[in-house]
């Protein structure tokens, strides 16, 4: 069981929008910034969003992040088949003194 | 170009030991915290350890007492000494660099090295 809870899968058609939720608690999301990672099939994870809502250079603005209380959300607009990947949220847990990841969400672009 | 290259993975028997290495390039290694993250086949990401710039270390309960993270700044290298290995430690192990700023995130990842624990 992951400390952070994500839906196992989401799907949407090309061009549509999808959101992926990440639910935690006051000891993790409620007390630290959230980052999101994209893992394309067979590759290493890549940073997608940091500090809740910031995009690294090179990440298109189709990707967005937000946080409210003990939950965070990743949004992807204008879906493309190349967005099919696993997406993970992550943050620091002050009670565990440990980094924690969500269980991951598999995005399918139908 | 910022790059992390892991090595040292392989097949090891249960109860055995293995040392992973990660060589960094393209940034001032000594200025950044570093992490190890693993992923079993078909499973999610699991944080394994972290080390700060002064050498402070952090571990989750699943590996505490068995794994030791260390760094050698003169060689731009990060290490993970793993002992008392179990079948459930079988995974791809990634080295990751902490991003800049006051909050923790991992902005650069290596391609990973595979560890298989089996008799």
């Amino acid at each position: 069981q992951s400390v952070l809870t994500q839906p196992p899968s989401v799907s949407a058609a090309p061009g549509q929008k999808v959101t992926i939720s990440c639910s935690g608690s006051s000891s993790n999301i409620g007390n630290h910034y959230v980052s999101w990672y994209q893992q394309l099939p067979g590759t290493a994870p890549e940073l997608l969003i940091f500090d809740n809502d910031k995009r690294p250079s090179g990440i298109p603005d189709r990707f967005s992040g937000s946080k409210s209380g003990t939950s965070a959300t990743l949004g992807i607009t204008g879906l493309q088949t190349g967005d099919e990947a696993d997406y993970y949220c992550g943050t620091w847990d002050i009670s565990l003194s440990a980094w924690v990841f969500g269980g991951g969400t598999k995005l399918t672009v139908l | 170009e910022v790059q992390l290259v892991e090595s040292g993975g392989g097949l090891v028997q249960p109860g055995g030991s293995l040392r992973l290495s990660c060589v960094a390039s393209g940034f001032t290694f000594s200025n950044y915290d570093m992490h190890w993250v693993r992923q079993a086949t078909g499973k999610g990401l699991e944080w394994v350890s972290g080390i700060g710039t002064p050498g402070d270390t952090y571990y989750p309960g699943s590996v505490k007492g068995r794994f030791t993270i260390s760094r050698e700044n003169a060689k731009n290298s990060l290490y993970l000494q793993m002992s008392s290995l179990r079948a459930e430690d079988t995974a791809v192990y990634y080295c990751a660099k902490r991003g800049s700023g006051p909050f923790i995130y991992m902005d650069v990842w290596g391609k990973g090295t595979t560890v298989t624990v089996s008799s």
Side-chain angles (χ1 to χ4, degrees):
Chain A
Q1 291 295 65
S2 301
V3 173
L4 305 180
T5 301
Q6 297 181 234
S9 63
V10 296
S11 62
Q16 296 300 302
K17 173 183 177 179
V18 71
T19 60
I20 297 173
S21 61
C22 176
S23 177
S25 69
S26 58
S27 67
N28 42 67
I29 293 179
N31 257 291
H32 200 277
Y33 282 38
V34 176
S35 50
W36 289 90
Y37 304 86
Q38 178 191 59
Q39 187 175 32
L40 296 169
T43 70
E46 177 186 3
L47 177 66
L48 204 57
I49 297 288
F50 67 99
D51 289 1
N52 297 337
D53 57 9
K54 296 182 175 59
R55 283 176 286 106
S57 60
I59 300 299
D61 59 8
R62 300 188 298 106
F63 296 90
S64 64
S66 64
K67 186 185 108 167
S68 178
T70 59
S71 292
T73 301
L74 173 70
I76 311 173
T77 59
L79 278 171
Q80 303 173 1
T81 55
D83 296 332
E84 287 201 332
D86 293 321
Y87 292 85
Y88 296 89
C89 58
T91 190
W92 184 259
D93 190 298
I94 60 172
S95 296
L96 299 173
S97 289
W99 181 267
V100 290
F101 286 105
T105 299
K106 182 177 183 61
L107 169 64
T108 300
V109 181
L110 303 167
Chain B
E1 178 193 4
V2 176
Q3 195 171 12
L4 300 171
V5 179
E6 304 94 337
S7 63
L11 175 63
V12 60
Q13 293 189 336
S17 299
L18 204 60
R19 188 198 199 204
L20 306 183
S21 299
C22 169
V23 176
S25 60
F27 65 100
T28 305
F29 178 75
S30 59
N31 287 353
Y32 291 89
D33 299 352
M34 297 294 295
H35 298 271
W36 286 99
V37 176
R38 69 184 180 185
Q39 185 173 37
T41 301
K43 303 296 185 182
L45 302 175
E46 180 187 15
W47 176 75
V48 171
S49 60
I51 185 167
T53 53
D56 49 316
T57 58
Y58 303 87
Y59 306 91
S62 57
V63 307
K64 191 173 289 186
R66 301 189 300 122
F67 289 11
T68 302
I69 188 173
S70 62
R71 63 191 303 160
E72 190 169 358
N73 291 337
K75 293 187 176 182
N76 290 336
S77 292
L78 178 73
Y79 305 103
L80 184 67
Q81 178 68 48
M82 305 184 294
S83 60
S84 301
L85 284 163
R86 308 164 180 166
E88 54 264 36
D89 296 317
T90 295
V92 175
Y93 285 72
Y94 296 103
C95 164
K97 167 187 166 291
R98 175 178 172 169
S100 300
F103 302 107
I104 305 171
Y105 60 94
M106 300 167 200
D107 67 343
V108 179
W109 297 64
K111 289 181 171 20
T113 187
T114 301
V115 172
T116 303
V117 183
S118 174
S119 54

